[in-house]
Amino acid sequence: MKKHGGERNGDGFMDRISQLPQHILQHVLSFLSQKEAVQTSLLSKSWRYLWCTRPNIEFRESRFTGNKETFMSVLDKTLQGYHDQMLCIQEFCVEISNIDSVSESISLLEKWIPIVTMNMRLKTFNLSFSSNVTYFNLPVILVVFESEFLHKLYLKRCMLLSQKPLDMVLSKHLKTLSLKRVYIKDETFEKIMSSCPFIEYVVLHKCEGLRIIKVNKSHNLKHFDFDDYRCNYIIKIDVPTIETIKIGGFPNWCDHRKYFPHLKSLHLKFVKLSAELFNNFSSNFPCLEELSLWFCYGLDKFHLFSRSMKHLILALLGSIKAASMKAVIDAPNIVKFEYEGDIPGSISFTTSTKWKSNIVVQSNGSFDDYTSSRCLKLNELLKALSESEISVNIANPPLLVLDDDGGLYEPVAVENLSLSGYYWPFSSHARFLNCLFCVCHPRYVYAHPSFDEFLWKILVTEREMRHYFWQRDLEEVSMEAFDENVNERSPECGLPGKHKNIRFRLKWIELSDLP
């Protein structure tokens, strides 16, 4: 029988992995961090220098144990080694965190960026400066757009400036462009977008210099992500291929095209909306499955009809806006609805599937109060969601409950009730919980550990000593300790230690069974 050659490990077994072709071993190393790749040099003789030829290079100064001079020296020697061996680099990631002597870093980058991008067939380039105060001018960075091999570009805290207009954009294969805190002019961005026909993913976060952002010539664009709350930007998206839009800022939605045939996910935050968005919504967004509207303007009254909608998120800022909102939602295939804010004025649902709703009621802390009208609004909201599995989170329960007319409400079945926020005296929480249990009948009650003792008293030890409207409806109370990580439950016969997470399980008498 013919024996295969190869090294043996310390136990005498044949090391067959080391016999794999070098390009396969380099591919394996590409999934490791730079530090982990270097550690493979200890495996055997054949691995000693293999990390020096892997196709991706990652140098992050924040993770480097030596000083600035050593960091730049190792980076320079590594790149020189690749250059001398005429090796290709698929991914090149550099993070500069020590900005006190950043001029040394810039000099070295000016030397190597043209070589790496133009001569080494670079596909992914990631350059970031860790600073909260300035942008770093690196004119040579524009040369990356002359690379025909570049697929992904990530820049942070750089300046994309040129003495003359950006004429040479040859990155025909660029698919991802991520600019975070980058200084770039409108005309430079427009030139890049119009010259890169295959670009699919664009990220613009807090970029200076931009005012009018036009996205209308990238016919393969699928994802657009914009985040900046400092100015009133104008964003114009007019590409039919887009699938995901995320906009955080103050632009007007009406500047975009009306028909998005392939859009699946739309996330808007602080964006100015109008009734036009909801007119013919199902026709203009035939594939939209997820809609998220956070603190947007113009949500006072709207009628939303969508057959494709599966996940809807609404968040309102301020009690006045919430109280004035009147929403009619016709989404027959919705799976989940989420709401955060003060109790809205009116929401009605038309659905035909099994769905869940998650409501986070934000109150105003110690200055807030719950009156009969306020509890009635919460009761009406829960009734509108009664066809769903409801979870309610009361953030910052009120200090004052002016009345607790529990007999006025028809309680709604709720799967989960969570209480979080400030801890007020027992009497304040008792009145509030009395009012809350008349509005809804939760199956499980979760609370911040500071509330555990209070809930134990009101639900168990002092339940018979006090008069509550909901007492006749509550049939059984049990308590469980649980581990959030492993989803385990165990019954408790007394108040557990504070180190445990607990929940109260309540069994209510069906309303039809009451006398």
Side-chain angles (χ1 to χ4, degrees), residues 174-187:
L174 186 67
K175 291 186 175 182
T176 298
L177 177 65
S178 176
L179 306 179
K180 296 183 178 181
R181 297 187 181 274
V182 171
Y183 191 96
I184 180 174
K185 292 290 188 179
D186 291 340
E187 55 269 20

Side-chain angles (χ1 to χ4, degrees), residues 140-153:
V140 74
I141 193 66
L142 291 172
V143 77
V144 300
F145 295 105
E146 299 179 21
S147 171
E148 297 183 18
F149 307 100
L150 193 65
H151 285 192
K152 298 179 181 181
L153 177 62

Side-chain angles (χ1 to χ4, degrees), residues 303-352:
H303 184 171
L304 172 63
F305 172 69
S306 173
R307 294 188 181 277
S308 60
M309 184 78 64
K310 293 183 179 180
H311 189 186
L312 174 61
I313 302 175
L314 295 178
L316 298 181
L317 187 64
S319 58
I320 297 178
K321 289 185 177 180
S324 62
M325 188 185 80
K326 294 183 179 180
V328 178
I329 301 169
D330 188 352
N333 296 306
I334 197 168
V335 175
K336 188 174 184 180
F337 170 68
E338 297 182 63
Y339 174 84
E340 181 172 337
D342 210 332
I343 303 173
S346 173
I347 293 182
S348 64
F349 268 89
T350 301
T351 63
S352 58

Side-chain angles (χ1 to χ4, degrees), residues 52-53 57 75-89 111-112 115-116 119-120:
C52 298
T53 61
I57 300 177
L75 176 58
D76 187 33
K77 290 180 180 179
T78 300
L79 292 174
Q80 189 65 55
Y82 276 77
H83 184 258
D84 294 343
Q85 298 177 73
M86 293 184 291
L87 297 173
C88 294
I89 300 177
K111 168 188 173 181
W112 282 111
I115 298 174
V116 172
N119 301 336
M120 295 186 174

Side-chain angles (χ1 to χ4, degrees), residues 189-427:
F189 176 74
E190 190 172 354
K191 177 66 175 179
I192 294 172
M193 295 298 294
S194 62
S195 303
C196 301
F198 297 107
I199 196 163
E200 296 180 355
Y201 194 97
V202 173
V203 176
L204 301 173
H205 285 188
K206 297 178 176 62
C207 291
E208 291 279 3
L210 292 175
R211 287 298 177 267
I212 301 177
I213 303 165
K214 296 180 181 179
V215 184
N216 54 11
K217 297 180 180 180
S218 302
H219 299 297
N220 287 287
L221 186 66
K222 289 181 171 57
H223 308 280
F224 179 81
D225 185 349
F226 176 87
D227 185 82
D228 199 334
Y229 303 93
R230 296 173 298 179
C231 301
N232 290 321
Y233 296 89
I234 297 176
I235 302 177
K236 297 182 178 181
I237 301 176
D238 188 11
V239 285
T241 56
I242 198 159
E243 297 178 0
T244 301
I245 296 177
K246 294 182 180 180
I247 298 178
F250 303 102
N252 287 303
W253 176 258
C254 60
D255 294 326
H256 306 298
R257 67 182 285 135
K258 293 183 178 180
Y259 180 51
F260 290 90
H262 300 288
L263 189 65
K264 295 180 179 180
S265 181
L266 177 60
H267 301 264
L268 304 178
K269 190 172 184 179
F270 286 107
V271 174
K272 299 173 184 177
L273 305 178
S274 66
E276 294 181 4
L277 172 64
F278 303 101
N279 292 338
N280 302 316
F281 191 92
S282 187
S283 300
N284 293 334
F285 303 91
C287 296
L288 191 67
E289 297 181 355
E290 183 175 8
L291 176 62
S292 176
L293 303 177
W294 282 82
F295 314 132
C296 292
Y297 302 90
L299 279 179
D300 297 338
K301 296 180 181 180
F302 67 92
H303 184 171
L304 172 63
F305 172 69
S306 173
R307 294 188 181 277
S308 60
M309 184 78 64
K310 293 183 179 180
H311 189 186
L312 174 61
I313 302 175
L314 295 178
L316 298 181
L317 187 64
S319 58
I320 297 178
K321 289 185 177 180
S324 62
M325 188 185 80
K326 294 183 179 180
V328 178
I329 301 169
D330 188 352
N333 296 306
I334 197 168
V335 175
K336 188 174 184 180
F337 170 68
E338 297 182 63
Y339 174 84
E340 181 172 337
D342 210 332
I343 303 173
S346 173
I347 293 182
S348 64
F349 268 89
T350 301
T351 63
S352 58
T353 60
K354 185 177 180 181
W355 55 296
K356 296 182 178 181
S357 57
N358 186 16
I359 309 301
V360 179
V361 179
Q362 295 278 4
S363 60
N364 300 319
S366 60
F367 299 99
D368 197 16
D369 61 78
Y370 268 64
T371 62
S372 294
S373 60
R374 187 172 173 82
C375 290
L376 181 60
K377 288 182 179 180
L378 178 58
N379 186 243
E380 291 174 348
L381 172 62
L382 297 180
K383 285 181 179 179
L385 305 173
S386 60
E387 297 298 321
S388 68
E389 181 183 295
I390 306 174
S391 294
V392 179
N393 186 335
I394 305 294
N396 301 333
L399 174 61
L400 300 176
V401 179
L402 300 185
D403 48 51
D404 50 2
D405 241 348
L408 297 177
Y409 317 114
E410 181 181 338
V412 178
V414 169
E415 181 70 12
N416 301 298
L417 172 64
S418 300
L419 303 174
S420 60
Y422 300 108
Y423 180 74
W424 302 119
F426 178 88
S427 58

